[in-house]
Amino acid sequence: MTRDPRYDILFESVPIGPIKTRNRFYQVPHCNGMGHTYPKAVAASRAVKAQGGWGVIATEECEIHPSTDVSPHIEARLWDEGDMRRLQLSTEAIHQHGALAAIELIHQGHDSANRYSRLPVMAVTDRVVSGYDPVQAYAMSKRDIADVRMMHRNAAIRAKNCGFDIIYVYAGHDLSLPFHFINPRYNHRTDEYGGSLENRVRFLRELIIDTKECVGDQCAVALRLAVDELLDEDGIVAGNEGREMVEILAELPDLWDVNISDWSHDSQTSRFSEEGYQEKYISFVKRLTSKPVVGVGRFTSPDTMVSQIKRGVLDLIGAARPSIADPYLPKKIEQGQVDDIRECIGCNICVSGDFTMTPIRCTQNPTMGEEYRRDWHPEHIIPKTTDDSVLIVGGGPTALEAAMSLGKRGYAVTLAEAAGTLGGRVLSESQLPGLGAWKRVVDYRLGQLAKLDSVHIHLNSHLDSHQVIEFSRELGIQHIAIATGAKWRKDGIGRAHHRPIKHDHSIALLSPDDIMGGQVPTGHVVVYDDDHYYMGGVIAEKLVREGASVTLITPGAQVSLWTVNTLEQDRIEQRLFSIGVRIICRHELVEIARSTLRLRRQNSDATKEIDTNAAVLVTSRQPQCSLYDALIETGQTKPLAHINTIKRIGDCLAPSTIAGAVYHGHRYAREFNTTPDIDTVPFKREYVAI
Ligand code: ADP
Ligand code: SF4
């Protein structure tokens, strides 16, 4: 297929200082939970994006010296020459596929506690470090400032020698020393580095000049700068100092990479923002500089990208998450395969890898982070090795991914779904407030399945064990995959409760499935959230929208506690407060009697009682595996000669995130017709050389 000429502009080269890009697709720096610990995995992941057509591929933040050590978070590291080889793996892999390599050098100042290096923490002014480490940072002397400039120069030279084409000076996200110098919230200095904006920008200006001096002959120097903190008068605002900073530094860097701060504002989820959400903050930048500008906004639509360029907002289309969900996004636009783009759903599961210090994962792209260790590729999968065929029961994300990937391998697949539509939990959850974009998980897979002749889908087909056996016998199917999902429990068993909660049936007890299925409790409704991810908060929001008065009770220290890992916790809490949800944290539900909930404060005997009309229990999910159990039982009494394997996959085995369900469906398809050895670790590891 050929590309739509409307998108030609996206494939124009852009000069950046001494270099030029092959197109306008720019993978901005993003963390991946692999960093310096898994260098082969990082290189393989970045290489796939270069293959997929991205013009520039940037590293995650890269520590320049042990005095900026964010351990145990796993970022890139260029403390000395010993770290170079790891990064060279990435530059070589990126160059091999024709892209430019960029590196985001960082000194984090008071945003690193130096837990591993145990060096004293430097900051613009005396202050505590970010987070809760009982550590303080000391105000840098002029000598320290000169030292950090030297560290940055040395790291820039090492980066150039690693083969990087673009070297960043990083002042974004409220995470870096130059941004701390700029920011009057932190900078209380009285010397020439404090006071006026001109003074506060001095350190950043010096870093840019230093970097240009030492590597500018060969490398472009990019500045990543946050121009708004969304804090009004408490922070940098695009309308005043955000703009003035750009005016002061306008022609100094070779490339402006502009965004909003902090990270939770920069990487907003689809629950809280639309594609292109940063435009109103950053659109002024291009008018103040002749240098190219890159920015982000969860861009997945080529029309939106073209519009950003034609309207003079951006020169380069920056993307982290869209490049994670679809490393081949540019190539698909180039080859006229826009319908094949695996669009990011804006869920930030990818971000959770950084917070949990584990390799990146993605809801839409199960191969992300698995390129090296499992040899998985987002666009290629090995062809079938037998003529066996498969019956998949269920039509949720697990089943759809398994059917699509098996179909792409060439296997004959029959999928039977009880409902009249496909999508399972994703379809239901995407009806909840703010989660509409999640339906892309289903849409992408249905689009791909429609092109696969070897996959046959039967809707309105609830199968019992006899039907599965008969059906597979009739069709000559040898393998059964049960992907019948999970249902939310209604007995309260979860993290805080290991046994059912006592109740006298005096009020309606509901589950999220009941609410998603259309039940609408009225009056005062309690949402009891012992799940701690998004579901409790989103159900509370839905109930308020439908007219209920809602109290959200959770044993957690914060509402939707796990969403700190997806950068959403603050926003969820703000949203719930703003719509009038009453929040009670650190309380367990003891019993329900006479329309009253009795709660106990954690770690105390203090109890309180709350009258309510209904309670929605969001605690844990029960695998729906009765079909699987019946098949196994039948097979034990009477061998099912025509069936080789019966497996249960996804939520019907172990309920998890949608990302987990997709991943398991994908793994089933990849491992189909293989026999894993229990004694063999199922992926490659990267050992520290001894
Ligand atoms: P997962 O996340 O693992 O894909 P879901 O709960 O999203 O699981 O989807 C499970 C799907 O399986 C639902 O759409 C449900 O209607 C379907 N299903 C459950 N039991 C049967 C059955 N016996 N026959 C056919 N489909 C079933
Ligand atoms: Fe997008 Fe979610 Fe994948 Fe991240 S995990 S890239 S937000 S789909």
Side-chain angles (χ1 to χ4, degrees):
M1 280 193 264
T2 50
R3 83 167 172 245
D4 186 327
R6 285 178 304 155
Y7 305 143
D8 285 353
I9 195 170
L10 299 174
F11 295 89
E12 291 170 353
S13 166
V14 178
I16 311 177
I19 56 170
K20 54 181 197 261
T21 65
R22 64 176 165 185
N23 57 34
R24 295 183 188 266
F25 294 95
Y26 192 111
Q27 184 245 275
V28 293
H30 75 75
C31 300
N32 48 58
M34 302 191 287
H36 63 91
T37 309
Y38 306 102
K40 291 181 186 166
V42 177
S45 181
R46 306 288 190 203
V48 168
K49 295 192 193 187
Q51 277 173 19
W54 294 87
V56 179
I57 318 269
T59 64
E60 62 279 22
E61 62 175 43
C62 177
E63 300 166 352
I64 59 172
H65 188 265
S67 62
T68 174
D69 154 33
V70 294
S71 305
H73 292 279
I74 310 170
E75 309 298 340
R77 205 165 254 184
L78 205 38
W79 289 359
D80 64 13
E81 295 195 349
D83 288 324
M84 286 174 58
R85 184 65 201 131
R86 295 168 202 229
L87 285 159
Q88 269 164 351
L89 292 179
S90 282
T91 54
E92 285 163 9
I94 292 166
H95 288 157
Q96 197 189 341
H97 299 289
L100 297 173
I103 184 166
E104 185 182 57
L105 300 181
I106 188 170
H107 197 297
Q108 293 210 262
H110 68 249
D111 255 300
S112 58
N114 294 349
R115 289 174 178 170
Y116 171 55
S117 70
R118 299 184 67 178
L119 293 180
V121 179
M122 288 185 271
V124 56
T125 311
D126 283 319
R127 56 162 294 122
V128 291
V129 298
S130 301
Y132 294 99
D133 287 64
V135 171
Q136 292 209 190
Y138 70 92
M140 292 163 72
S141 66
K142 299 270 183 61
R143 177 75 254 156
D144 294 320
I145 291 175
D147 284 349
V148 172
R149 286 178 61 185
M150 187 53 72
M151 292 169 197
H152 201 277
R153 283 179 81 98
N154 291 343
I157 292 166
R158 286 195 287 273
K160 173 179 151 180
N161 292 337
C162 285
F164 284 101
D165 309 285
I166 301 175
I167 317 277
Y168 267 82
V169 177
Y170 177 55
H173 292 140
D174 193 15
L175 281 179
S176 74
L177 202 42
F179 192 72
H180 300 154
F181 268 81
I182 287 167
N183 205 313
R185 194 165 63 247
Y186 306 123
N187 186 339
H188 306 157
R189 298 177 77 97
T190 51
D191 61 7
E192 68 268 36
Y193 288 94
S196 68
L197 181 62
E198 191 73 41
N199 279 355
R200 284 181 275 125
V201 167
R202 187 180 308 280
F203 178 56
L204 175 59
R205 179 208 291 277
E206 287 171 348
L207 290 180
I208 301 169
I209 292 170
D210 290 345
T211 313
K212 288 195 84 163
E213 264 173 27
C214 63
V215 299
D217 57 327
Q218 200 176 312
C219 305
V221 176
L223 169 59
R224 188 160 226 209
L225 184 68
V227 294
D228 201 308
E229 295 186 277
L230 276 55
L231 289 174
D232 297 328
E233 68 274 14
D234 290 333
I236 302 289
V237 179
N240 50 46
E241 290 203 334
R243 181 188 186 90
E244 289 164 36
M245 287 190 294
V246 181
E247 282 168 348
I248 292 172
L249 301 171
E251 298 300 313
L252 203 52
D254 297 317
L255 171 71
W256 281 89
D257 178 343
V258 281
N259 63 1
I260 52 178
S261 175
D262 56 7
W263 190 13
S264 72
H265 294 318
D266 192 22
S267 292
Q268 290 175 39
T269 57
S270 57
R271 186 168 166 187
F272 297 99
S273 69
E274 298 292 321
E275 182 176 16
Y277 55 90
Q278 302 214 9
E279 180 178 330
K280 65 177 171 198
Y281 302 103
I282 56 109
S283 57
F284 73 90
V285 176
K286 248 192 83 56
R287 291 193 289 275
L288 300 181
T289 176
S290 67
K291 302 298 168 103
V293 177
V294 60
V296 293
R298 237 179 37 245
F299 296 120
T300 58
S301 150
D303 295 310
T304 308
M305 297 174 194
V306 168
S307 155
Q308 292 281 315
I309 292 160
K310 288 205 165 153
R311 289 185 297 110
V313 181
L314 298 174
D315 298 294
L316 292 145
I317 301 300
R321 292 170 291 176
S323 76
I324 294 167
D326 198 336
Y328 269 56
L329 185 147
K331 203 151 245 179
K332 288 177 182 173
I333 297 173
E334 189 174 28
Q335 297 179 346
Q337 297 171 325
V338 171
D339 290 348
D340 292 327
I341 293 174
R342 209 184 296 103
E343 284 186 287
C344 167
I345 69 165
C347 63
N348 278 5
I349 279 292
C350 48
V351 170
S352 74
D354 188 53
F355 279 94
T356 57
M357 296 143 226
T358 44
I360 189 167
R361 60 213 57 206
C362 170
T363 302
Q364 275 284 55
N365 174 11
T367 68
M368 178 48 57
E370 305 289 346
E371 300 86 348
Y372 166 74
R373 69 174 191 173
R374 285 189 186 266
D375 286 319
W376 287 2
H377 190 282
E379 301 301 319
H380 307 305
I381 188 162
I382 48 161
K384 66 178 185 176
T385 51
T386 66
D387 286 329
D388 287 0
S389 52
V390 194
L391 169 64
I392 301 176
V393 186
T398 310
L400 293 181
E401 176 66 26
M404 179 191 76
S405 300
L406 282 167
K408 287 186 176 182
R409 293 190 65 185
Y411 283 106
V413 180
T414 302
L415 183 148
E417 161 59 49
T421 43
L422 291 167
R425 63 177 288 196
V426 173
L427 204 58
S428 319
E429 292 181 28
S430 63
Q431 312 292 321
L432 292 169
L435 304 188
W438 290 20
K439 192 164 166 290
R440 292 173 173 184
V441 171
V442 179
D443 295 341
Y444 166 71
R445 286 163 181 83
L446 293 190
Q448 299 296 295
L449 285 165
K451 298 179 188 178
L452 293 167
D453 293 337
S454 66
V455 181
H456 299 280
I457 294 175
H458 300 262
L459 297 177
N460 302 305
S461 303
H462 184 280
L463 301 185
D464 61 24
S465 58
H466 303 291
Q467 289 165 317
V468 168
I469 293 164
E470 280 318 304
F471 200 37
S472 54
R473 199 192 321 268
E474 269 169 37
L475 294 176
I477 289 172
Q478 303 83 9
H479 302 274
I480 313 290
I482 306 296
T484 45
K487 292 267 178 251
W488 287 93
R489 304 180 73 114
K490 287 213 248 187
D491 56 8
I493 286 180
R495 290 189 163 78
H497 302 271
H498 310 294
R499 297 206 168 77
I501 292 171
K502 278 194 260 171
H503 70 98
D504 65 355
H505 302 280
S506 53
I507 58 162
L509 263 194
L510 301 162
S511 75
D513 291 314
D514 295 327
I515 305 297
M516 289 186 276
Q519 293 195 43
V520 187
T522 50
H524 180 225
V525 182
V526 163
V527 174
Y528 181 63
D529 183 5
D530 193 21
D531 170 60
H532 309 282
Y533 191 18
Y534 56 89
M535 188 56 84
V538 103
I539 290 284
E541 197 177 332
K542 178 173 169 67
L543 293 174
V544 170
R545 286 192 191 189
E546 297 195 352
S549 137
V550 176
T551 303
L552 191 152
I553 300 165
T554 177
Q558 287 174 302
V559 68
S560 300
L561 190 58
W562 199 81
T563 62
V564 293
N565 298 311
T566 57
L567 298 168
E568 290 175 295
Q569 199 281 328
D570 285 337
R571 275 199 172 70
I572 291 172
E573 197 164 322
Q574 279 164 19
R575 167 83 47 96
L576 294 179
F577 278 135
S578 74
I579 59 174
V581 174
R582 190 175 157 222
I583 296 174
I584 302 177
C585 293
R586 303 219 60 152
H587 279 76
E588 287 172 19
L589 180 51
V590 180
E591 82 174 315
I592 303 168
R594 295 180 299 282
S595 303
T596 301
L597 308 189
R598 192 152 63 82
L599 310 179
R600 186 171 56 79
R601 174 83 170 85
Q602 283 191 324
N603 304 323
S604 107
D605 296 328
T607 59
K608 68 165 94 175
E609 298 196 335
I610 295 199
D611 293 341
T612 187
N613 294 354
V616 184
L617 300 183
V618 189
T619 58
S620 64
R621 290 186 297 149
Q622 181 94 52
Q624 297 300 292
C625 52
S626 56
L627 173 59
Y628 173 81
D629 292 342
L631 285 167
I632 296 297
E633 205 177 301
T634 309
Q636 277 161 358
T637 49
K638 180 178 66 165
L640 303 171
H642 69 287
I643 297 176
N644 289 354
T645 61
I646 304 174
K647 293 203 170 149
R648 54 180 175 145
I649 55 174
D651 288 321
C652 126
L653 175 69
S656 178
T657 55
I658 297 169
V662 169
Y663 182 79
H664 200 188
H666 192 79
R667 191 156 69 78
Y668 175 76
R670 291 260 179 188
E671 293 174 355
F672 183 71
N673 260 336
T674 60
T675 317
D677 174 0
I678 197 80
D679 280 332
T680 308
V681 177
F683 47 81
K684 283 180 272 187
R685 286 190 287 168
E686 294 187 60
Y687 292 99
V688 176
I690 296 173

